[in-house]
Amino acid sequence: MEDGVDIGLTNASAGTSLEPVPRGSSGPLPPLVERRGSLAGYDNRPVLPPTISLTSPRSTMALPPADSKVSADNKKKRAWWCWPTSEAEANRMVLIDDPVGNAPSKFRDNHISTSKYTWWNFFFKNLFEQFMRLANMYFIFISLLQQIPGVSPTGQWSTLGPLAAVMLVTMVKEAFEDVKRHRADVAENTRLTNVLREGKLSKVEWQQIRVGDIVRLSANEFIPADVVLLSSSEPMSIAYIETANLDGETNLKIRQALPATAEIADPSATGIRVTGTVESGPPNNKLYEFEGSIDIRRHKHPLGPQQLLLRGAQVRNTGWLYGLVLFTGRDTKYMQNSNKKTIKRTKVERISNIAVVILFVFELLLAGVCAGINAGWRNINGTKHWYLAFPESESGIGLLYPFLTFIILYNNLIPISLYVTLELAKFGQAYLINNDEKMYHKESNTYAVARTSNLNEELGQVEYIFSDKTGTLTENLMIFRKCSIAGKSYGGDDANLLGTPGIDVPISHKHFAFHDADLGNDMHEGSSRSLVIREFVSLLAVCHSVVPSRDENDPDNIMKIVYQSSSPDEEALVEASNHLGYVFVARTPTEVVVRNPEGVHEHYQLLNMIEFTSSRKRMSVVCRCPDGRIKVFVKGADTVIYERLGPDQPYADACQEHMRLFASEGLRTLCLAVAVISEEAYASWSRLWDEAALAVQGRDKKLEQVAELIETNLSLLGVTAIEDKLQQGVPETISTLMSAGIKVWVLTGDKQETAINIGYSCALLTESQNGIVLNEPSKEFAAQRLSGLLKAFVDSPPPRLPDVPTPDLALVIDGFTLAFALEPDLKADLLRLGTACKAVICCRVSPLQKAQVVSLVRDNLKSITLAVGDGANDVSMIQAAHVGIGISGVEGRQAAQASDYAIAQFSYLQRLLLIHGRWNYRRVSKLIAYCFYRNIVLYITQFWFTIFNGFSGQTLYERWTISMYNVIFTFFPIVAFGLIDQDIAEDVVFAFPQVYVDGIRQGQFNTRVILCWVANAVWHSFLIFMIPMYSSSFDVSDSRGFPMTLDHLGYTVFSCVIMVVTLKIALETRYWSSVNHVFTWVSLGSWFIFMVVYGTIWGWGPTFNVGKETYFVFADLFSSGTYWFVVILTTTCCLWRDVTWKYVERTFLPKPRHILQERQYIHKQKNVVHPFRAQSPVSTLCSTGPSLNARSSRPFHTGFAFSEEEIQLGGAFSTLDLSMKVKETSMQGTGFGARTEWLKRKASQLSRENTTSSELLQIDSIGSTITHHPLPAQQLPSSSSTVVPDDAEIPRAEPSIDNSEPSTGSDGSGSAGSDTSSRKAAELDVNHTS
């Protein structure tokens, strides 16, 4: 065979050419991208631009000039998140099996690297990234200032040492993670595969594969690059692949080679040499889109997704296949989708960054004030205090040197270890989430996955949840329940299965629960109705993309057929057709084989298949039926099917009524229709289809337009009704979340009736709500309706009646109206109306609209949003929210892979938010506040000391003592706190989810809370310095008679600092475990050990020339009773304020969490069995449980100052007591007195009855209703319904919940309590204060 022959497939041995199969003889023709430039001529060389010359005589690729405008424009248009391509290319043109001809294109090699660093750039790149943090830049600036002689009062290395330690920890962590990436890359790049080189198959490493190579892959082999399928061992050159590594879907996908290349059986054995040219678009990250063409023997054939095998997929059930390598390395779609996600910043992090800036400004001001006072003091006292011997050269220094000195002295007001402490704590929190056994789904063997640890505390502040329905709230396990055929409804309510007598079908009832004997009778009666029924069931068996998989050991046994489908709906419909007598037996790209009820195999020739898309909302198959007629089978949503029906549809009205009834039962409906096409009409349409398939631009749009031409004048056959059951625990979960103050919005593509029915089923909607339904035909009507609703319910709500509760609002809006409402001039009204509603359901919405709704709330409200979904259509919504949750569902793992956190079931969301989220929010809030606190305590003592040293900048502490303060002495207790502290046990939180509201309102971390911690730190620092300072006058000498020095005072003050800050975090700790004990007491003891070791190291010899000033200072202090007395006295005085405040707060100003902590402690001491343990963690009490609002107006003398050990709930909560002692609401208007009197009257009545849990008085989460449940002793309510006694007169008042922190005190998260034996009357006597 000579170079330069015609492009094609040539058999060198036989001397024959393989003619390509004519176009149009197979299934659907895939799309083709716009082609810039063309191949001219099919002689030895193509016509090329004059600026290009090729060296290879076999080259057939027309390359644009390197500086062409096409490349430049394309480069500008490339998305910033894509990996860079090998060149800024417009269309890629590849020569088949021609490495010399492809060399000028300089395509990327197939080597991949997912690592962040290399061995030679790790140190410098990591340092650069760490210095991108402003805090690190600040501390390196301080370290540089300390190198200036005569400026630093704390030595040259006191800041650089801790900074280096912190950065080293981060560097080691990064190196550990990157080493794992390098090892994975090496294993990937060195895999072997068969590549055709010089006519022979050779084992080649993946990284050595080149664009244009032909590879041979076998069953179960992973695909090394993006390759175009040329041929396979299966009939019609079909190949089966599994894409679990790409999209998480485990069902097999069908790929089919073009007929023009399908004859390549074994090039290495037959001598067939493949030549030609492939043209495609540039690399991109769209997994399901591909457009290209292949030129074989002067014929151009379109290439589409059906011919593309992606890197990372695995060959299944296919003996062998040949493919052409098209994209390699970072140009593959797999690597294009391996980009980093946008880093999301939390609200807590933003507030802490502001606090850092404020502290820095405060430090500058403090340093400036001290420098100014120092200059004044020297001017006044320079001559008077001549013995200080101020250098004359300093007289002209001015303020610069003193200012720099004080900057260094106060530099650690900004905590140097804040970020590394926060990272370690969040890393541990993520580990706990990943290993939570209570979020483990046994059926799918799936744990929860924290794909990021940056958002742990955000989970505790979520106010809006946006949820998909199918697969998220439901199981996505479709069950065929009912149908309507020829105007008659079929299907009963029992679960007996209907099969056709005498017909064997695959034994699978997973998707089929249908019973109606009339359908079998009507099918066989021979009437016109029976013909429609047969057509209906035939459509179910033919119009789909399901792949049958036969048992390899018994391929002829249809009872062992297993169906593979990417859609549970299609699998349910195919299974229904099997049970109804039409068994789907086999399929090829050109044919579907169905066995009818008589046992005859019917062959349907597939002429064209028009796939389902979210915009089309339907799927069509053009096929030649066994009787020779050409028919169009269509199934889709009623909105698109009904508008394409022909005139005189006898079943349209009946089917529409049946659809309404089916939807009211929560069933998913699908319309089925058919049209018969003449041979002439199909021939004309087929030509248009082929032309559209070969279009060089706008081909997808043209294909849709051509499809519209054949999907007309349809005849309606009937409707299917499929049930998608709710996941276990969904109603309880939504009820719990709503009780926690979280608003739930459901965004679904289902019909309005179905969505409403599901809303009731999952407890999102209730009968007591005022329902608002928006179905407007135009923007004008939508604007008028929104305006009217806002005036009626938001701006001027109806007056409240004293004895009638005002119902909540629920909004249901369809996608058509939503499109109008999301326009710029109406979206503000939509937002106001939506936020005024307790529940919102958006139905018939597209994936884009889901993201728009989430963005509307996120961008315009100061609320944390969370989006949860399970499918690829939910990815945009998940990425738009502050926190994205992916469900590992039936539709694959696309959503889980794009999410921040992944869970297996929607019900796990309540644990993720109420337990992990709430705990982590409190942990992170306290951690950040404490880090500021402990540094202010230490360094403000330096300020108090400057008052006594003439503002000279003299440091009170030894330099290495300061350096180890953040990284050793006080580091570990706060890390343990940030990892495992729990203020309230999880079963208590589930019983009273209203405590979550504190996080929604940022009650644990806000500007006021930080200021309280700062004020407390300043007060503690004042006491810590002043008490030792003035007590030193009582002990002017040590045990040997030597006078006390500055080092003695510094060590005494530092000892007080260590004691106070360590016991402060101990006071804040609620959950004492062995880890807390070890970290706390060992850290405290480490300071005294350091005093001994460092105080003796100078005496070890001249090699250890450090610690001279503090040599044996510890011996003087330890032997002095004054030292120990001062340390104990100072610690007691400092923490006395904290303990006192905790007592006062819990006694007179209790918050919900304080009351729950107290009751938890009391019942633990009594060893009372907790009634919630006998039930599900989510009690029905959650939906109507007692209100946990702001404060009680009466003093409850039951506070306890210090926290208890291991918190395990052991006591039964008296919901009556809890309800009575918590302030329910802030009363306003005329209803205040009447409502209070009613409460007193009812409480008094209950106390006189002397019941033992036989009466349960509950106040709901907003104080709007009171429910009175007569119960047996020690039994919880079994229903969440509201029951009001007939004689009850319940005044209505405006709710107002106050969960904010008190205006004084540093925190208020500890616990307080005392004897409660005399509190019954106080608990039952309810007073409300506004």
Side-chain angles (χ1 to χ4, degrees), residues 978-998:
L979 283 175
I980 59 177
D981 192 60
Q982 305 170 13
D983 61 332
I984 303 175
E986 59 187 56
D987 40 4
V988 183
V989 177
F990 281 136
F992 300 97
Q994 294 88 346
V995 293
Y996 184 85
V997 175
D998 197 35

Side-chain angles (χ1 to χ4, degrees), residues 53-63 86-87 89 91-109 196-197 209-214 274-279 324-328:
S53 61
L54 298 179
T55 57
S56 171
R58 291 179 54 201
S59 298
T60 60
M61 179 173 59
L63 297 174
S86 52
E87 293 181 4
E89 53 186 314
N91 281 0
R92 169 169 293 207
M93 303 186 70
V94 178
L95 303 181
I96 301 176
D97 195 19
D98 188 357
V100 177
N102 289 323
S105 299
K106 298 180 180 179
F107 297 120
R108 284 189 184 275
D109 58 30
L196 192 64
R197 296 279 173 87
I209 295 175
R210 303 168 300 203
V211 172
D213 281 347
I214 294 178
V274 186
T275 59
T277 305
V278 173
E279 181 180 8
L324 168 70
V325 176
L326 186 60
F327 298 113
T328 52

Side-chain angles (χ1 to χ4, degrees), residues 924-939:
V924 171
S925 300
K926 294 285 187 182
L927 185 150
I928 295 175
Y930 176 80
C931 286
F932 288 131
Y933 160 84
R934 71 179 180 188
N935 279 46
I936 291 174
V937 167
L938 178 67
Y939 285 91

